[in-house]
Amino acid sequence: MKKNRKTVSREIGLEIGSICGKYFLKLDHLHYGYWTKDLEVDITNVHIAQENYANFLISHIPEDTKKILDVGCGTGQIAKKLIVTGYKVDCVSPSPFLVGQTRELLGNSSHIYECSYERLQTENRYDVILFSESFQYINIEEGIKKTVSFLNPDGYMLICDLFRKETGKSNISGGHRLETFHNIVSGYPLRLIKDLDITEETAPSIDVLNDALKKAVHPTIILTQQLLENRYPFASKVITLVYKKKIDKINKKYFNGEKTGENFKKFKSYRLLLFKKTNSD
Ligand SMILES: C[S@@+](CC[C@H](N)C(=O)[O-])C[C@H]1O[C@@H](n2cnc3c(N)ncnc32)[C@H](O)[C@@H]1O
């Protein structure tokens, strides 16, 4: 099935994030990170915040879990940690690029389903189905329906991700509406047994991003523009005119200074949600 434009842009965005994060900052993960109070909010500490997040997440895997399905496994780093801890882990990844990285990291220790979760078909059943910052990309209804059918009786759905609050429109993208999510999940045999709000601990990642956009990315773009105007004045004018709307949109989205931790806390809620299957189906 052909992927739509939005899905392709999102996938490529994540892949670029993975390449740049790894090359420039030695980052292995593809999630926000968990900033403890004693950790200085600085780009050089993102890898520590990401490790904190992975450890925090793993500490909430319920007892007696043996088999986990890591949906949207990114680079495979969380799956690797889970395998090292002693769990049997399979992965789902729709991105051929990220599948390549995961396969390199995990070898034969995990089965990787190379498809979107919505399209996954399997006879295998799991004790925990994990969505680490991947639930926001998945259709809620489809995702929950699949999860209920792939879970063992008494299995768990563990989601750690950001959601949208009811407070107007923000320019920080991502996340399902929290209320919509709860309304949909209430129609399925899943009981909420843990709900932790970690918005405060994840928000500093947005400040780090904003700082990088403001102090490195934006000045680089301005200087490149100046160079092009100097070398190719006519072509530069034409490009600026033709793409004015697109350029304005990019400026508004990335460089208007609104991508801040404060705004993240206002518009988003980052939650760890653990549901237990109730077997009333
Ligand atoms: C922000 S990354 C999180 C990666 C990883 N779980 C982590 O915590 O580092 C989002 C992941 O969701 C995956 N993803 C996006 N859409 C998906 C879908 N429809 N089904 C399954 N995975 C999806 C992406 O390929 C990517 O690996």
Side-chain angles (χ1 to χ4, degrees), residues 174-193:
H176 295 299
R177 260 182 75 219
L178 189 56
E179 196 189 343
T180 309
F181 165 77
H182 278 301
N183 284 341
I184 296 179
V185 95
S186 67
Y188 287 86
L190 291 165
R191 180 164 49 89
L192 183 62
I193 57 168

Side-chain angles (χ1 to χ4, degrees), residues 7 10-11 14 28-31 53 57 70-76 78 92-95 98 115-118 131-139:
T7 308
R10 259 183 354 207
E11 263 180 29
L14 284 167
D28 289 323
H29 295 281
L30 259 186
H31 48 245
Y53 168 91
L57 183 63
D70 181 0
V71 181
C73 64
T75 53
I78 290 188
V92 182
S93 179
S95 153
L98 293 173
C115 61
S116 72
Y117 190 53
E118 292 91 331
F131 300 87
S132 167
E133 227 172 88
S134 57
F135 198 81
Q136 58 181 292
Y137 302 102
I138 291 164
N139 175 282

Side-chain angles (χ1 to χ4, degrees), residues 26-267:
K26 306 274 171 270
L27 301 182
D28 289 323
H29 295 281
L30 259 186
H31 48 245
Y32 271 58
Y34 186 107
W35 297 81
T36 47
K37 290 224 164 20
D38 57 333
L39 185 61
E40 189 196 346
V41 179
D42 185 83
I43 198 156
T44 55
N45 284 333
V46 173
H47 70 288
I48 300 177
Q50 290 192 327
E51 275 306 307
N52 286 344
Y53 168 91
N55 293 334
F56 165 81
L57 183 63
I58 291 172
S59 74
H60 291 282
I61 302 284
E63 267 178 39
D64 300 327
T65 297
K66 290 187 177 60
K67 223 173 152 196
I68 300 175
L69 181 63
D70 181 0
V71 181
C73 64
T75 53
Q77 290 290 340
I78 290 188
K80 174 86 184 174
K81 264 178 167 287
L82 289 166
I83 291 166
V84 169
T85 311
Y87 300 110
K88 165 92 188 73
V89 184
D90 289 341
C91 297
V92 182
S93 179
S95 153
F97 174 80
L98 293 173
V99 166
Q101 295 208 341
T102 305
R103 191 150 281 140
E104 205 174 300
L105 186 70
L106 304 182
N108 292 329
S109 60
S110 171
H111 178 75
I112 306 170
Y113 302 99
E114 294 185 44
C115 61
S116 72
Y117 190 53
E118 292 91 331
R119 297 180 67 78
L120 178 62
Q121 308 279 352
T122 178
E123 295 302 313
N124 291 329
R125 294 295 174 263
Y126 297 89
D127 302 317
V128 170
I129 299 191
L130 170 67
F131 300 87
S132 167
E133 227 172 88
S134 57
F135 198 81
Q136 58 181 292
Y137 302 102
I138 291 164
N139 175 282
I140 306 179
E141 193 89 48
E142 277 300 305
I144 295 174
K145 215 184 282 174
K146 292 259 162 187
T147 300
V148 169
S149 69
F150 297 148
L151 277 177
N152 280 325
D154 299 324
Y156 296 86
M157 170 169 82
L158 178 55
I159 297 175
C160 202
D161 207 341
L162 60 93
F163 291 86
R164 274 186 286 134
K165 297 204 276 200
E166 296 308 304
T167 357
K169 200 166 159 37
S170 96
N171 88 335
I172 302 169
S173 56
H176 295 299
R177 260 182 75 219
L178 189 56
E179 196 189 343
T180 309
F181 165 77
H182 278 301
N183 284 341
I184 296 179
V185 95
S186 67
Y188 287 86
L190 291 165
R191 180 164 49 89
L192 183 62
I193 57 168
K194 212 179 259 185
D195 180 359
L196 305 178
D197 188 337
I198 57 164
T199 316
E200 196 68 45
E201 289 81 1
T202 46
S205 296
I206 291 289
D207 285 323
V208 170
L209 174 69
N210 191 41
D211 203 50
L213 289 172
K214 203 166 77 186
K215 294 187 184 151
V217 180
H218 197 229
T220 306
I221 291 175
I222 300 289
L223 289 171
T224 311
Q225 251 172 355
Q226 286 173 6
L227 186 69
L228 290 175
E229 276 163 21
N230 181 277
R231 297 270 168 89
Y232 314 101
F234 180 70
S236 290
K237 260 202 189 102
V238 173
I239 291 170
T240 314
L241 267 175
V242 172
Y243 292 104
K244 187 176 177 336
K245 261 195 177 157
K246 278 216 156 81
I247 294 169
D248 287 350
K249 202 171 157 196
I250 289 171
N251 277 330
K252 191 161 175 257
K253 187 165 179 198
Y254 296 103
F255 305 118
N256 70 354
E258 283 178 18
K259 272 192 196 297
T260 61
E262 269 320 299
N263 274 336
F264 182 80
K265 286 189 259 182
K266 185 168 159 203
F267 294 109

